[in-house]
PDB file of all heavy atoms in Angstrom:
ATOM      1  N   GLU F  13      97.570  62.539 132.899  1.00  0.00           N
ATOM      2  CA  GLU F  13      98.168  61.902 133.993  1.00  0.00           C
ATOM      3  C   GLU F  13      99.343  61.103 133.482  1.00  0.00           C
ATOM      4  O   GLU F  13     100.340  60.952 134.323  1.00  0.00           O
ATOM      5  CB  GLU F  13      97.101  60.952 134.680  1.00  0.00           C
ATOM      6  CG  GLU F  13      96.140  61.787 135.565  1.00  0.00           C
ATOM      7  CD  GLU F  13      94.911  60.890 136.097  1.00  0.00           C
ATOM      8  OE1 GLU F  13      94.937  59.775 135.669  1.00  0.00           O
ATOM      9  OE2 GLU F  13      94.127  61.346 136.918  1.00  0.00           O
ATOM     10  N   ALA F  14      99.268  60.494 132.373  1.00  0.00           N
ATOM     11  CA  ALA F  14     100.306  59.748 131.795  1.00  0.00           C
ATOM     12  C   ALA F  14     101.643  60.614 131.632  1.00  0.00           C
ATOM     13  O   ALA F  14     102.826  60.220 131.806  1.00  0.00           O
ATOM     14  CB  ALA F  14      99.936  58.934 130.533  1.00  0.00           C
ATOM     15  N   VAL F  15     101.313  61.852 131.124  1.00  0.00           N
ATOM     16  CA  VAL F  15     102.519  62.839 130.901  1.00  0.00           C
ATOM     17  C   VAL F  15     103.043  63.135 132.273  1.00  0.00           C
ATOM     18  O   VAL F  15     104.320  63.182 132.325  1.00  0.00           O
ATOM     19  CB  VAL F  15     101.861  64.051 130.198  1.00  0.00           C
ATOM     20  CG1 VAL F  15     103.029  65.105 130.144  1.00  0.00           C
ATOM     21  CG2 VAL F  15     101.528  63.599 128.727  1.00  0.00           C
ATOM     22  N   ARG F  16     102.286  63.565 133.137  1.00  0.00           N
ATOM     23  CA  ARG F  16     102.821  63.812 134.514  1.00  0.00           C
ATOM     24  C   ARG F  16     103.521  62.683 135.156  1.00  0.00           C
ATOM     25  O   ARG F  16     104.623  62.889 135.678  1.00  0.00           O
ATOM     26  CB  ARG F  16     101.630  64.261 135.472  1.00  0.00           C
ATOM     27  CG  ARG F  16     102.291  64.836 136.832  1.00  0.00           C
ATOM     28  CD  ARG F  16     101.018  65.051 137.761  1.00  0.00           C
ATOM     29  NE  ARG F  16     101.533  65.775 138.978  1.00  0.00           N
ATOM     30  CZ  ARG F  16     101.845  65.007 140.053  1.00  0.00           C
ATOM     31  NH1 ARG F  16     101.618  63.676 140.051  1.00  0.00           N
ATOM     32  NH2 ARG F  16     102.185  65.655 141.131  1.00  0.00           N
ATOM     33  N   HIS F  17     103.118  61.458 135.044  1.00  0.00           N
ATOM     34  CA  HIS F  17     103.790  60.281 135.520  1.00  0.00           C
ATOM     35  C   HIS F  17     105.169  60.042 134.955  1.00  0.00           C
ATOM     36  O   HIS F  17     106.097  59.882 135.470  1.00  0.00           O
ATOM     37  CB  HIS F  17     102.944  59.118 135.252  1.00  0.00           C
ATOM     38  CG  HIS F  17     103.522  57.807 135.720  1.00  0.00           C
ATOM     39  ND1 HIS F  17     103.738  57.475 137.062  1.00  0.00           N
ATOM     40  CD2 HIS F  17     104.192  56.788 135.089  1.00  0.00           C
ATOM     41  CE1 HIS F  17     104.363  56.198 137.051  1.00  0.00           C
ATOM     42  NE2 HIS F  17     104.603  55.784 135.940  1.00  0.00           N
ATOM     43  N   PHE F  18     105.181  60.315 133.608  1.00  0.00           N
ATOM     44  CA  PHE F  18     106.463  60.153 132.760  1.00  0.00           C
ATOM     45  C   PHE F  18     107.525  61.269 133.296  1.00  0.00           C
ATOM     46  O   PHE F  18     108.576  61.040 133.497  1.00  0.00           O
ATOM     47  CB  PHE F  18     106.178  60.374 131.359  1.00  0.00           C
ATOM     48  CG  PHE F  18     107.567  60.171 130.533  1.00  0.00           C
ATOM     49  CD1 PHE F  18     108.063  58.966 130.253  1.00  0.00           C
ATOM     50  CD2 PHE F  18     108.156  61.301 130.244  1.00  0.00           C
ATOM     51  CE1 PHE F  18     109.240  58.975 129.492  1.00  0.00           C
ATOM     52  CE2 PHE F  18     109.419  61.326 129.482  1.00  0.00           C
ATOM     53  CZ  PHE F  18     109.933  60.047 129.074  1.00  0.00           C
ATOM     54  N   VAL F  19     107.019  62.438 133.380  1.00  0.00           N
ATOM     55  CA  VAL F  19     107.871  63.480 133.798  1.00  0.00           C
ATOM     56  C   VAL F  19     108.457  63.380 135.179  1.00  0.00           C
ATOM     57  O   VAL F  19     109.700  63.542 135.413  1.00  0.00           O
ATOM     58  CB  VAL F  19     107.012  64.899 133.819  1.00  0.00           C
ATOM     59  CG1 VAL F  19     108.032  66.074 134.331  1.00  0.00           C
ATOM     60  CG2 VAL F  19     106.730  65.308 132.364  1.00  0.00           C
ATOM     61  N   ILE F  20     107.700  62.673 136.114  1.00  0.00           N
ATOM     62  CA  ILE F  20     108.157  62.486 137.390  1.00  0.00           C
ATOM     63  C   ILE F  20     109.243  61.415 137.372  1.00  0.00           C
ATOM     64  O   ILE F  20     110.369  61.613 137.992  1.00  0.00           O
ATOM     65  CB  ILE F  20     106.990  62.002 138.398  1.00  0.00           C
ATOM     66  CG1 ILE F  20     106.099  63.183 138.729  1.00  0.00           C
ATOM     67  CG2 ILE F  20     107.622  61.348 139.663  1.00  0.00           C
ATOM     68  CD1 ILE F  20     104.950  62.777 139.523  1.00  0.00           C
ATOM     69  N   ARG F  21     109.036  60.343 136.580  1.00  0.00           N
ATOM     70  CA  ARG F  21     109.957  59.324 136.435  1.00  0.00           C
ATOM     71  C   ARG F  21     111.295  59.788 135.833  1.00  0.00           C
ATOM     72  O   ARG F  21     112.398  59.401 136.100  1.00  0.00           O
ATOM     73  CB  ARG F  21     109.434  58.050 135.661  1.00  0.00           C
ATOM     74  CG  ARG F  21     108.205  57.372 136.427  1.00  0.00           C
ATOM     75  CD  ARG F  21     107.804  56.140 135.733  1.00  0.00           C
ATOM     76  NE  ARG F  21     108.780  55.093 135.862  1.00  0.00           N
ATOM     77  CZ  ARG F  21     108.901  54.259 136.859  1.00  0.00           C
ATOM     78  NH1 ARG F  21     107.998  54.397 137.905  1.00  0.00           N
ATOM     79  NH2 ARG F  21     109.806  53.261 136.838  1.00  0.00           N
ATOM     80  N   ARG F  22     111.194  60.551 134.691  1.00  0.00           N
ATOM     81  CA  ARG F  22     112.301  61.054 133.979  1.00  0.00           C
ATOM     82  C   ARG F  22     113.173  61.998 134.857  1.00  0.00           C
ATOM     83  O   ARG F  22     114.407  62.103 134.869  1.00  0.00           O
ATOM     84  CB  ARG F  22     111.892  61.799 132.648  1.00  0.00           C
ATOM     85  CG  ARG F  22     111.461  60.819 131.640  1.00  0.00           C
ATOM     86  CD  ARG F  22     112.665  60.021 130.896  1.00  0.00           C
ATOM     87  NE  ARG F  22     112.740  58.721 131.682  1.00  0.00           N
ATOM     88  CZ  ARG F  22     113.738  57.808 131.495  1.00  0.00           C
ATOM     89  NH1 ARG F  22     114.700  58.274 130.722  1.00  0.00           N
ATOM     90  NH2 ARG F  22     113.867  56.779 132.137  1.00  0.00           N
ATOM     91  N   TRP F  23     112.496  62.822 135.612  1.00  0.00           N
ATOM     92  CA  TRP F  23     113.137  63.850 136.513  1.00  0.00           C
ATOM     93  C   TRP F  23     113.951  62.997 137.551  1.00  0.00           C
ATOM     94  O   TRP F  23     115.103  63.374 137.744  1.00  0.00           O
ATOM     95  CB  TRP F  23     112.098  64.726 137.199  1.00  0.00           C
ATOM     96  CG  TRP F  23     112.739  65.908 137.780  1.00  0.00           C
ATOM     97  CD1 TRP F  23     113.852  66.506 137.355  1.00  0.00           C
ATOM     98  CD2 TRP F  23     112.199  66.756 138.929  1.00  0.00           C
ATOM     99  NE1 TRP F  23     114.180  67.659 138.260  1.00  0.00           N
ATOM    100  CE2 TRP F  23     113.167  67.759 139.024  1.00  0.00           C
ATOM    101  CE3 TRP F  23     110.994  66.616 139.642  1.00  0.00           C
ATOM    102  CZ2 TRP F  23     112.958  68.864 140.088  1.00  0.00           C
ATOM    103  CZ3 TRP F  23     110.796  67.590 140.565  1.00  0.00           C
ATOM    104  CH2 TRP F  23     111.823  68.714 140.785  1.00  0.00           C
ATOM    105  N   LYS F  24     113.406  62.008 138.085  1.00  0.00           N
ATOM    106  CA  LYS F  24     114.149  61.177 139.088  1.00  0.00           C
ATOM    107  C   LYS F  24     115.254  60.535 138.437  1.00  0.00           C
ATOM    108  O   LYS F  24     116.331  60.471 139.022  1.00  0.00           O
ATOM    109  CB  LYS F  24     113.140  60.175 139.757  1.00  0.00           C
ATOM    110  CG  LYS F  24     113.844  59.242 140.619  1.00  0.00           C
ATOM    111  CD  LYS F  24     112.930  58.119 141.164  1.00  0.00           C
ATOM    112  CE  LYS F  24     113.565  57.166 142.064  1.00  0.00           C
ATOM    113  NZ  LYS F  24     114.801  56.472 141.519  1.00  0.00           N
ATOM    114  N   PHE F  25     115.062  59.992 137.282  1.00  0.00           N
ATOM    115  CA  PHE F  25     116.088  59.228 136.471  1.00  0.00           C
ATOM    116  C   PHE F  25     117.304  60.188 136.234  1.00  0.00           C
ATOM    117  O   PHE F  25     118.518  59.731 136.625  1.00  0.00           O
ATOM    118  CB  PHE F  25     115.659  58.771 135.205  1.00  0.00           C
ATOM    119  CG  PHE F  25     116.580  58.039 134.426  1.00  0.00           C
ATOM    120  CD1 PHE F  25     116.879  56.674 134.602  1.00  0.00           C
ATOM    121  CD2 PHE F  25     117.473  58.682 133.446  1.00  0.00           C
ATOM    122  CE1 PHE F  25     117.763  55.904 133.829  1.00  0.00           C
ATOM    123  CE2 PHE F  25     118.272  57.977 132.674  1.00  0.00           C
ATOM    124  CZ  PHE F  25     118.589  56.615 132.893  1.00  0.00           C
ATOM    125  N   TRP F  26     117.191  61.326 135.861  1.00  0.00           N
ATOM    126  CA  TRP F  26     118.267  62.202 135.613  1.00  0.00           C
ATOM    127  C   TRP F  26     118.822  62.964 136.769  1.00  0.00           C
ATOM    128  O   TRP F  26     119.967  63.264 136.754  1.00  0.00           O
ATOM    129  CB  TRP F  26     117.825  63.219 134.379  1.00  0.00           C
ATOM    130  CG  TRP F  26     117.706  62.572 133.106  1.00  0.00           C
ATOM    131  CD1 TRP F  26     116.506  62.476 132.418  1.00  0.00           C
ATOM    132  CD2 TRP F  26     118.727  61.943 132.404  1.00  0.00           C
ATOM    133  NE1 TRP F  26     116.754  61.703 131.232  1.00  0.00           N
ATOM    134  CE2 TRP F  26     118.167  61.348 131.199  1.00  0.00           C
ATOM    135  CE3 TRP F  26     120.195  61.844 132.527  1.00  0.00           C
ATOM    136  CZ2 TRP F  26     118.964  60.718 130.159  1.00  0.00           C
ATOM    137  CZ3 TRP F  26     120.865  61.173 131.629  1.00  0.00           C
ATOM    138  CH2 TRP F  26     120.251  60.593 130.469  1.00  0.00           C
ATOM    139  N   LEU F  27     118.035  63.207 137.735  1.00  0.00           N
ATOM    140  CA  LEU F  27     118.567  63.639 139.105  1.00  0.00           C
ATOM    141  C   LEU F  27     119.418  62.686 139.667  1.00  0.00           C
ATOM    142  O   LEU F  27     120.557  62.967 140.313  1.00  0.00           O
ATOM    143  CB  LEU F  27     117.527  63.994 139.994  1.00  0.00           C
ATOM    144  CG  LEU F  27     116.622  65.294 139.668  1.00  0.00           C
ATOM    145  CD1 LEU F  27     115.594  65.451 140.768  1.00  0.00           C
ATOM    146  CD2 LEU F  27     117.659  66.624 139.704  1.00  0.00           C
ATOM    147  N   SER F  28     119.228  61.272 139.403  1.00  0.00           N
ATOM    148  CA  SER F  28     120.171  60.361 139.949  1.00  0.00           C
ATOM    149  C   SER F  28     121.394  60.274 139.289  1.00  0.00           C
ATOM    150  O   SER F  28     122.341  59.585 139.789  1.00  0.00           O
ATOM    151  CB  SER F  28     119.389  58.986 139.874  1.00  0.00           C
ATOM    152  OG  SER F  28     118.175  58.912 140.602  1.00  0.00           O
ATOM    153  N   ARG F  29     121.555  60.909 138.205  1.00  0.00           N
ATOM    154  CA  ARG F  29     122.723  60.875 137.363  1.00  0.00           C
ATOM    155  C   ARG F  29     123.529  62.253 137.487  1.00  0.00           C
ATOM    156  O   ARG F  29     124.303  62.468 136.520  1.00  0.00           O
ATOM    157  CB  ARG F  29     122.462  60.473 135.883  1.00  0.00           C
ATOM    158  CG  ARG F  29     122.295  58.936 135.774  1.00  0.00           C
ATOM    159  CD  ARG F  29     121.477  58.525 134.682  1.00  0.00           C
ATOM    160  NE  ARG F  29     121.299  57.109 134.704  1.00  0.00           N
ATOM    161  CZ  ARG F  29     120.551  56.363 135.600  1.00  0.00           C
ATOM    162  NH1 ARG F  29     119.869  57.101 136.512  1.00  0.00           N
ATOM    163  NH2 ARG F  29     120.454  55.027 135.535  1.00  0.00           N
ATOM    164  N   ARG F  30     123.248  62.946 138.357  1.00  0.00           N
ATOM    165  CA  ARG F  30     123.916  64.131 138.625  1.00  0.00           C
ATOM    166  C   ARG F  30     125.350  63.840 139.168  1.00  0.00           C
ATOM    167  O   ARG F  30     126.303  64.689 138.992  1.00  0.00           O
ATOM    168  CB  ARG F  30     123.264  65.112 139.611  1.00  0.00           C
ATOM    169  CG  ARG F  30     122.092  65.797 139.140  1.00  0.00           C
ATOM    170  CD  ARG F  30     121.128  66.277 140.223  1.00  0.00           C
ATOM    171  NE  ARG F  30     121.722  67.149 141.202  1.00  0.00           N
ATOM    172  CZ  ARG F  30     121.576  68.501 141.068  1.00  0.00           C
ATOM    173  NH1 ARG F  30     120.793  69.001 140.027  1.00  0.00           N
ATOM    174  NH2 ARG F  30     121.810  69.453 142.000  1.00  0.00           N
ATOM    175  N   SER F  31     125.552  62.712 139.804  1.00  0.00           N
ATOM    176  CA  SER F  31     126.918  62.300 140.220  1.00  0.00           C
ATOM    177  C   SER F  31     127.061  60.826 139.875  1.00  0.00           C
ATOM    178  O   SER F  31     126.235  60.143 139.506  1.00  0.00           O
ATOM    179  CB  SER F  31     127.025  62.645 141.656  1.00  0.00           C
ATOM    180  OG  SER F  31     126.182  61.851 142.395  1.00  0.00           O
ATOM    181  N   HIS F  32     128.244  60.227 140.403  1.00  0.00           N
ATOM    182  CA  HIS F  32     128.458  58.841 140.228  1.00  0.00           C
ATOM    183  C   HIS F  32     127.972  57.972 141.344  1.00  0.00           C
ATOM    184  O   HIS F  32     128.111  56.814 141.423  1.00  0.00           O
ATOM    185  CB  HIS F  32     130.037  58.672 140.158  1.00  0.00           C
ATOM    186  CG  HIS F  32     130.658  59.118 138.885  1.00  0.00           C
ATOM    187  ND1 HIS F  32     130.393  58.740 137.789  1.00  0.00           N
ATOM    188  CD2 HIS F  32     131.468  60.307 138.908  1.00  0.00           C
ATOM    189  CE1 HIS F  32     131.033  59.548 136.847  1.00  0.00           C
ATOM    190  NE2 HIS F  32     131.772  60.429 137.450  1.00  0.00           N
ATOM    191  N   LYS F  33     127.208  58.760 142.286  1.00  0.00           N
ATOM    192  CA  LYS F  33     126.667  57.963 143.443  1.00  0.00           C
ATOM    193  C   LYS F  33     125.349  57.142 142.895  1.00  0.00           C
ATOM    194  O   LYS F  33     124.975  57.224 141.714  1.00  0.00           O
ATOM    195  CB  LYS F  33     126.106  58.926 144.475  1.00  0.00           C
ATOM    196  CG  LYS F  33     127.205  59.770 145.158  1.00  0.00           C
ATOM    197  CD  LYS F  33     126.613  60.634 146.095  1.00  0.00           C
ATOM    198  CE  LYS F  33     127.777  61.539 146.795  1.00  0.00           C
ATOM    199  NZ  LYS F  33     127.181  62.544 147.708  1.00  0.00           N
ATOM    200  N   SER F  34     124.855  56.192 143.730  1.00  0.00           N
ATOM    201  CA  SER F  34     123.753  55.494 143.369  1.00  0.00           C
ATOM    202  C   SER F  34     122.466  56.227 143.239  1.00  0.00           C
ATOM    203  O   SER F  34     122.449  57.364 143.522  1.00  0.00           O
ATOM    204  CB  SER F  34     123.479  54.391 144.525  1.00  0.00           C
ATOM    205  OG  SER F  34     123.158  55.042 145.772  1.00  0.00           O
ATOM    206  N   ALA F  35     121.528  55.630 142.525  1.00  0.00           N
ATOM    207  CA  ALA F  35     120.277  56.263 142.216  1.00  0.00           C
ATOM    208  C   ALA F  35     119.527  56.804 143.398  1.00  0.00           C
ATOM    209  O   ALA F  35     119.666  56.246 144.548  1.00  0.00           O
ATOM    210  CB  ALA F  35     119.333  55.348 141.348  1.00  0.00           C
ATOM    211  N   ILE F  36     118.848  57.892 143.286  1.00  0.00           N
ATOM    212  CA  ILE F  36     118.069  58.352 144.390  1.00  0.00           C
ATOM    213  C   ILE F  36     116.909  57.373 144.707  1.00  0.00           C
ATOM    214  O   ILE F  36     116.069  57.055 143.856  1.00  0.00           O
ATOM    215  CB  ILE F  36     117.408  59.790 143.962  1.00  0.00           C
ATOM    216  CG1 ILE F  36     118.443  60.718 143.671  1.00  0.00           C
ATOM    217  CG2 ILE F  36     116.619  60.235 145.199  1.00  0.00           C
ATOM    218  CD1 ILE F  36     117.904  62.071 143.177  1.00  0.00           C
TER     219      ILE F  36
END
């Protein structure tokens, strides 16, 4: 569950940096 939790947070973090807009 810890691995899955981390993957979710990292995915959100890097999707938020696809552009210069604010975080998702």
Side-chain angles (χ1 to χ4, degrees):
E13 287 170 351
V15 169
R16 184 179 186 272
H17 177 74
F18 177 86
V19 170
I20 289 174
R21 295 187 69 86
R22 287 291 88 186
W23 196 25
K24 176 183 180 298
F25 179 87
W26 287 112
L27 285 179
S28 297
R29 281 150 181 78
R30 285 159 64 95
S31 67
H32 296 292
K33 298 179 181 179
S34 60
I36 300 173

